Amino acid sequence: MISGGSTDGDSNRARKSWSRRESLGVDERRQGSGPIITFGPRDLEEVNFPHNDVLLIQAMIANYDVRRVSVDSGSSVNILFQEAFEQMDLQGYELSPVKIALYGFAGHTVQPRGEILLPITLGSGDERKIVMTRFTLVESPSSYNVILGRPTMNAFRAVASTYHQKIKFPVGDKRARRIGKEEGQGGREVCSVEESKGEYEEVELVLGKPGKSVMFARDLEANLVERLKSFLIQNKDVFAWVQGDLMGVSSQVAEHKLNITPGSRPGYHQIPLALEDHDKVSFITSGGATYQRMMDKVFREKMGRNVEVYVDDILVKSRTRDCFIPDLEETFATVRRYGIKLNPAKCMFGVKSGKFLGFMVTERGIEVNPEKVKLL
């Protein structure tokens, strides 16, 4: 069992209040309805008995195929070990400091090197789910690359069975499973995925006035281009062309809160901050996942169906050409309803295949390009 770290509250950060946990818990219970997860005789077909094996799975973490991932529901944090971390090229991902030590490593404490927020994928094909997960970086000898604790298990709403050597979690109205028994468990392997740019040419689409434009794929059919142009001109208010277009999201949708002990005296600054400047102060929230929780709430009914969201990156996916504009209309209506603005400089429309957060987007769905995978 591993405890401590920022999961239990970091004194240098804003902590989650019990009132917020309770309100989120109510929302979670409403979402909790789904398929009943069970384990049966068929789940034992590939298990060798007798055994007392640790549950090991394979997971895609930040575009790396990582083996020897231990599932430990007794751990209050997710652990990424230093040796595996060094084999993963994680440039662009921010490492945040952690002040509180971890407990449970062979009976002694370990001071984390920091925390990093990474996407983790479990399952494959249609039974695949991706969740942004916070890992605690630890420099300690281990036969594992990663330990997945309660935070990830709860985020996936996963159920683990060491006896069956599997975990199962809901994906839409289905159940996905991962078999933990791996071949070659004696060694440690981390696979990397080379970057691959999409094979498409960009064309600028001017929306009414010079300076207000977005990009679309050149190979888009002519009639679809006209429909897309008409749609985007009618909905250009969804884009943030200048800073003044950013009006902010309603506090009823999401807001930052500080968990401050009642009766505590003011902090460091003895000179008060001008009232009109209070809303200009920036700070780091506990866990850094407030924005992701907001996006999960906003796109709750669409995620996995025609939208994928990773923090502030949004992918609208359509199964057919006829669904392309209706899917955009539905997504634009949602972002407009909640006051979210899109950055036109980062938008690309009508792409049939390409790269999204390192994953390949094709007609088959979102997946890793197998030709670009190599063993380190």
Side-chain angles (χ1 to χ4, degrees):
M1 177 178 291
I2 302 173
S3 61
S6 63
T7 300
D8 293 332
D10 193 324
S11 58
N12 291 333
R13 300 183 186 184
R15 301 175 181 176
K16 296 178 181 178
S17 66
W18 281 107
S19 59
R20 179 156 183 81
R21 289 185 184 182
E22 185 175 353
S23 64
L24 288 175
V26 172
D27 199 39
E28 281 291 319
R29 283 189 288 273
R30 290 172 180 170
Q31 299 181 50
S33 59
I36 298 175
I37 297 178
T38 60
F39 294 88
R42 293 186 59 184
D43 295 311
L44 297 174
E45 292 176 355
E46 300 180 22
V47 181
N48 296 321
F49 288 97
H51 83 84
N52 289 305
D53 296 343
V54 174
L55 177 51
L56 296 179
I57 65 172
Q58 185 170 327
M60 183 66 65
I61 302 176
N63 231 15
Y64 290 83
D65 193 11
V66 183
R67 303 187 66 179
R68 299 195 61 78
V69 176
S70 173
V71 177
D72 182 5
S73 59
S75 176
S76 66
V77 292
N78 304 301
I79 303 296
L80 173 61
F81 288 97
Q82 178 69 25
E83 186 176 341
F85 174 77
E86 291 176 351
Q87 296 183 63
M88 303 167 72
D89 183 11
L90 298 177
Q91 296 181 9
Y93 289 96
E94 181 182 358
L95 192 65
S96 304
V98 177
K99 299 297 183 182
I100 298 179
L102 295 174
Y103 305 88
F105 285 89
H108 61 275
T109 63
V110 172
Q111 183 60 48
R113 294 199 57 207
E115 285 185 337
I116 188 168
L117 188 65
L118 303 172
I120 177 172
T121 304
L122 296 182
S124 60
D126 293 336
E127 295 185 333
R128 182 188 66 249
K129 190 172 183 179
I130 305 174
V131 171
M132 293 301 295
T133 302
R134 187 162 293 277
F135 291 90
T136 301
L137 182 60
V138 170
E139 188 170 7
S140 178
S142 175
S143 58
Y144 311 125
N145 289 312
V146 170
I147 295 177
L148 293 185
R150 293 192 300 272
T152 296
M153 296 297 289
N154 291 341
F156 278 90
R157 295 164 59 194
V159 178
S161 173
T162 56
Y163 179 72
H164 296 86
Q165 287 289 286
K166 292 177 177 67
I167 66 171
K168 294 186 179 183
F169 54 90
V171 180
D173 58 351
K174 302 178 181 179
R175 292 192 304 274
R177 70 181 184 183
R178 294 287 295 174
I179 300 177
K181 204 73 175 176
E182 298 177 335
E183 296 181 0
Q185 288 186 4
R188 171 186 301 222
E189 297 182 41
V190 179
C191 301
S192 67
V193 181
E194 297 178 354
E195 298 293 326
S196 176
K197 297 185 178 297
E199 297 180 356
Y200 59 84
E201 295 184 27
E202 301 177 354
V203 178
E204 184 178 16
L205 180 62
V206 180
L207 304 181
K209 297 181 179 179
K212 292 188 176 183
S213 61
V214 293
M215 309 300 292
F216 70 95
R218 181 180 294 277
D219 62 351
L220 203 60
E221 290 81 356
N223 63 333
L224 201 53
V225 170
E226 292 303 316
R227 292 176 60 196
L228 176 62
K229 182 176 181 180
S230 176
F231 167 77
L232 293 176
I233 290 176
Q234 295 175 16
N235 293 273
K236 58 180 178 289
D237 62 295
V238 169
F239 300 99
W241 303 103
V242 294
Q243 187 173 0
D245 292 336
L246 298 173
M247 304 303 294
V249 176
S250 170
S251 60
Q252 295 180 352
V253 179
E255 64 180 0
H256 293 299
K257 287 187 178 181
L258 294 177
N259 184 20
I260 300 176
T261 304
S264 61
R265 301 181 63 184
Y268 173 77
H269 297 287
Q270 301 182 41
I271 301 175
L273 183 67
L275 183 62
E276 62 270 19
D277 291 331
H278 281 191
D279 61 347
K280 303 173 185 176
V281 177
S282 62
F283 55 90
I284 299 176
T285 62
S286 175
T290 305
Y291 196 93
Q292 180 66 55
R293 288 198 301 271
M294 179 196 73
M295 298 297 274
D296 288 343
K297 180 178 180 180
V298 169
F299 292 101
R300 180 170 51 201
E301 298 179 357
K302 300 171 180 59
M303 291 180 65
R305 177 169 58 85
N306 60 0
V307 169
E308 299 290 349
V309 180
Y310 311 95
V311 190
D312 58 350
D313 291 296
I314 303 174
L315 171 68
V316 182
K317 55 185 183 181
S318 300
R319 292 187 178 275
T320 66
R321 291 178 176 83
D322 292 337
C323 294
F324 177 52
I325 299 299
D327 286 335
L328 286 178
E329 289 175 340
E330 183 180 346
T331 305
F332 274 47
T334 299
V335 298
R336 180 184 290 109
R337 182 185 312 126
Y338 291 100
I340 299 173
K341 296 289 186 177
L342 305 180
N343 183 351
K346 295 184 178 181
C347 290
M348 171 61 66
F349 296 93
V351 176
K352 297 179 180 178
S353 65
K355 186 182 68 175
F356 180 67
L357 293 181
F359 292 91
M360 292 303 300
V361 182
T362 69
E363 294 180 352
R364 295 184 301 274
I366 304 175
E367 57 188 24
V368 173
N369 187 349
E371 297 180 358
K372 298 299 182 179
V373 177
K374 65 179 180 180
L375 290 176
L376 290 179

